[in-house]
């Protein structure tokens, strides 16, 4: 098996159906990839749908009690047979050559420490219904036809900053479980995902940190893109889960770690990503061509996500 695609899902049936339909139409021979989908205790009809789904794909469905995405991905990893594993979410879609491009990237580089990170284009919740209407109007939609619905997302922009300005010492910030692949042995050798993270974030960034520490080489592939069908965010579950996970990161997982401490300052908007990179490199602060710095604030990001949900509900 060349490639194992790993997908956790939780109460996201409508988007999951679309995501699976695009995986069904991949140009890679179906005997060369499998999909391991872990249902993390959904109660929205996902289990019933998957139980009745007829597909020619090598699809393995595992159901577990609701224990979080980290646990779900680790369960899938334990079952993966592909030489390489590709992590995506249950709300992304991609063109027919998506899997092929990921696999060929590894073949071209032939580096067991390579982590391929693709581009994620965000379709915000406010544009979701219009995008779905267009998707459903055609037998097969080329994903770039959805570009009119795409909107810049501040969190996804962090990855662009890393690549655009060659901030290699914080390249682990760009690791994402929505569009990334690596050898199965590499991810297993670093211990998989930390199941102490439950709820949203930052289990993928923390995995990226361990991968970087183990000698991983991150390569951004702008042409390996998928489209994220964003979902409404609830302030209670979104924000409270993040606070708990950040405490776990700093107080339990990495107490006293200066790089993780700087990461917290960065996502709090207190230092720029350029300052963060300079600290990790133990070098001088290097500005980009126009001399500006780039800041990100999680709190404002979350509040805007919740606001989008409220505006659509009106």
């Amino acid at each position: 098996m060349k490639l194992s695609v790993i997908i956790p899902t939780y109460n996201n049936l409508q988007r999951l159906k679309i995501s699976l339909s695009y995986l069904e139409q991949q140009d890679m021979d179906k005997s060369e990839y499998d999909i391991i989908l872990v249902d993390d205790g959904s109660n929205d009809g996902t289990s019933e749908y998957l139980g009745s789904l007829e597909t020619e794909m090598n699809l393995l469905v595992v159901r577990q009690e609701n224990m979080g995405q980290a646990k779900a991905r680790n369960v899938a990893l334990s079952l993966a047979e592909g030489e390489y594993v590709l992590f995506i979410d249950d709300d992304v879609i991609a063109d027919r050559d998506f899997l092929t491009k990921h696999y060929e990237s590894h073949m071209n580089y032939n580096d067991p420490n390579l982590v391929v990170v693709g581009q994620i284009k965000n379709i915000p919740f406010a544009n979701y219904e219009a995008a779905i209407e267009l998707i459903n109007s055609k037998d097969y939609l080329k994903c770039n036809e959805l570009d009119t619905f795409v909107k810049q997302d501040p969190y996804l922009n962090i990855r662009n900053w890393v690549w655009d300005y060659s901030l290699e010492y914080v390249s682990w910030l760009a690791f994402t479980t929505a569009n990334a692949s690596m050898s199965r042995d590499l991810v297993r050798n670093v211990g998989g995902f930390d199941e102490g993270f439950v709820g949203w974030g930052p289990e993928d960034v923390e995995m990226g940190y361990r991968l970087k520490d183990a000698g991983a080489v991150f390569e951004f592939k702008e042409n390996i893109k998928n489209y994220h069908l964003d979902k409404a965010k609830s302030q209670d579950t979104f924000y409270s889960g993040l606070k708990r996970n950040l405490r776990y990161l700093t107080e339990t997982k990495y107490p006293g770690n200066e790089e993780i401490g700087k990461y917290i300052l960065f996502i709090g908007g207190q230092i720029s990503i350029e300052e963060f990179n300079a600290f990790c490199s133990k070098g001088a602060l290097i500005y980009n061509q126009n001399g500006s710095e780039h800041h990100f604030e999680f709190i404002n990001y979350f509040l805007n996500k919740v606001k989008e949900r409220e505006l659509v509900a009106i």
Side-chain angles (χ1 to χ4, degrees), residues 262-295:
K262 292 294 183 182
Y263 166 72
I264 298 299
L265 293 179
F266 165 62
I267 63 175
Q270 295 166 273
I271 64 173
S272 68
I273 195 169
E274 287 83 5
E275 291 174 289
F276 188 19
N277 186 71
F279 175 83
C280 292
S281 70
K282 297 179 173 56
L285 177 62
I286 300 174
Y287 293 96
N288 57 67
Q289 290 181 348
N290 62 16
S292 62
E293 295 181 70
H294 295 81
H295 290 262

Side-chain angles (χ1 to χ4, degrees), residues 15 122-129 230-232 308-309 312-313:
R15 290 165 178 78
N122 190 60
I123 297 175
F125 180 60
N127 294 344
Y128 174 72
E129 293 297 337
D230 207 354
K231 190 176 183 179
E308 286 177 8
R309 179 176 186 261
V312 171

Side-chain angles (χ1 to χ4, degrees), residues 19-33:
S19 185
L20 289 176
S21 72
Y22 275 76
L23 287 172
E24 181 105 50
Q25 300 181 73
Q26 293 294 301
D27 63 11
M28 180 178 281
D29 190 288
K30 288 181 173 56
S31 67
E32 297 179 332
Y33 72 95

